[in-house]
Amino acid sequence: ARAPGTKKSLMGFSLCIMELSFLSRKRNLKKIVSSQFVYYNIRSKEMQRRKGAKPVDIPENVQAVLKTLEAAGHEAWCVGGCVRDALSGRRPEDWDVTASARPEDPLAVFGSQAEPTGLKHGTVTVKTPGGPVEVTTYRVDGAYRDHRRPESVTFTRSIGEDLARRDFTVNAMARNLRGELRDPFGGREDLRRGILRCVGDPDRRFQEDALRI
C-alpha cells in the first residue's frame, strides 16, 4: 500500500515490510512498521536512472556560508534532504546547513545578512545572492507531545547527536566543503539500494512526528 502524505520525491514507492502496528492519534491512521526499519522499494524509472548519477556540487552561495562559519571557528555541514538529493544527482531546491555555532553566532558573523527565523530551535536564515540558507545549531530534540514539533531542544557540539535525531537514514547524512560525507547510519547505501529506513526505533520516530507517515 502506498503511504499517504508521502512527498513527491517518494511517490512510486511501495511499503513492503510489515511487522509492527502503529496508530497515529493525530490522523487516526493505522500504519505497519518494522521494529527495526521501514522499507520502501523504489519503482520509479526516474529514480532507477539516477542510480550511479554524479553528485551535484554545493552551490557557490552555500559554499560561502560554510566558509564563513568555518573561518569563524565553527564546524559547518550541508545536511538532510539536500545531501540526499545531491548524492542522487538531483539538484536540491533548498540547501540547509547545520553547524556547531550557537544561534547567536551566525547573527554576529553574518550581520545584516542574518535573520533570527527560529532561534528557539537554533535556526538563523542567511540571505545570499543565490537565495536564503538556513543555518541550524547541532541539537538534540526534547519530547514531541503534539506529535509534530519538539517542545524543547538542547544544543550540542556533536554532529553525530544531531544526525541521530533525524527521521530516515537517507536524511541523516552531512557533507562539508571538502566533500567529506558524515553517514553514521548507512544512508548512502540505503539510497543506492532504494530503501527508506528509520534512524533508530521507527515507532518512536513516527510518534514524534505524524507527518513522517
Side-chain angles (χ1 to χ4, degrees):
R2 191 174 296 179
T6 308
K7 293 182 179 179
K8 290 182 179 179
S9 61
L10 298 180
M11 290 181 67
F13 293 17
S14 60
L15 185 64
C16 64
I17 288 206
M18 302 187 294
E19 294 176 15
L20 178 67
S21 295
F22 167 76
L23 182 63
S24 169
R25 296 177 184 173
K26 294 292 285 184
R27 294 188 173 188
N28 197 29
L29 297 174
K30 189 176 181 182
K31 287 293 149 191
I32 308 296
V33 298
S34 164
S35 58
Q36 294 183 343
F37 34 69
V38 172
Y39 278 120
Y40 285 85
N41 278 347
I42 295 180
R43 296 185 178 179
S44 161
K45 291 182 180 179
E46 179 186 8
M47 291 301 294
Q48 292 292 341
R49 284 199 304 270
R50 283 175 179 154
K51 285 188 176 182
K54 181 180 178 182
V56 173
D57 292 333
I58 299 173
E60 290 185 4
N61 66 306
V62 181
Q63 289 188 37
V65 171
L66 297 173
K67 288 176 182 177
T68 301
L69 288 166
E70 288 191 353
H74 308 294
E75 295 178 8
W77 304 74
C78 292
V79 70
C82 63
V83 177
R84 176 201 66 218
D85 288 350
L87 290 176
S88 300
R90 181 172 59 240
R91 189 167 300 281
E93 294 182 7
D94 302 298
W95 289 82
D96 294 326
V97 170
T98 187
S100 60
R102 296 289 170 150
E104 61 271 17
D105 295 329
L107 290 174
V109 169
F110 292 99
S112 61
Q113 285 183 269
E115 294 183 353
T117 49
L119 288 183
K120 178 181 177 181
H121 295 99
T123 301
V124 171
T125 299
V126 180
K127 295 175 288 186
T128 77
V133 178
E134 287 192 351
V135 177
T136 302
T137 301
Y138 299 161
R139 75 183 199 211
V140 176
D141 291 344
Y144 285 72
R145 300 192 189 281
D146 65 354
H147 300 282
R148 185 65 189 96
R149 293 179 179 84
E151 288 197 347
S152 64
V153 301
T154 302
F155 300 131
T156 177
R157 292 289 183 180
S158 168
I159 178 66
E161 288 183 330
D162 183 87
L163 295 177
R165 71 178 174 83
R166 296 174 184 270
D167 49 7
F168 304 112
T169 60
V170 294
N171 294 333
M173 296 185 286
R175 179 179 168 197
N176 66 12
L177 274 171
R178 290 158 292 285
E180 179 185 353
L181 184 69
R182 192 64 64 90
D183 180 19
F185 305 104
R188 188 168 195 175
E189 177 61 15
D190 287 347
L191 191 63
R192 185 190 69 79
R193 295 174 61 199
I195 291 173
L196 187 61
R197 183 165 56 96
C198 288
V199 174
D201 178 13
D203 187 42
R204 176 181 176 183
R205 293 282 90 95
F206 292 125
Q207 286 279 4
E208 288 173 342
D209 186 349
L211 289 185
R212 289 170 176 167
I213 298 174

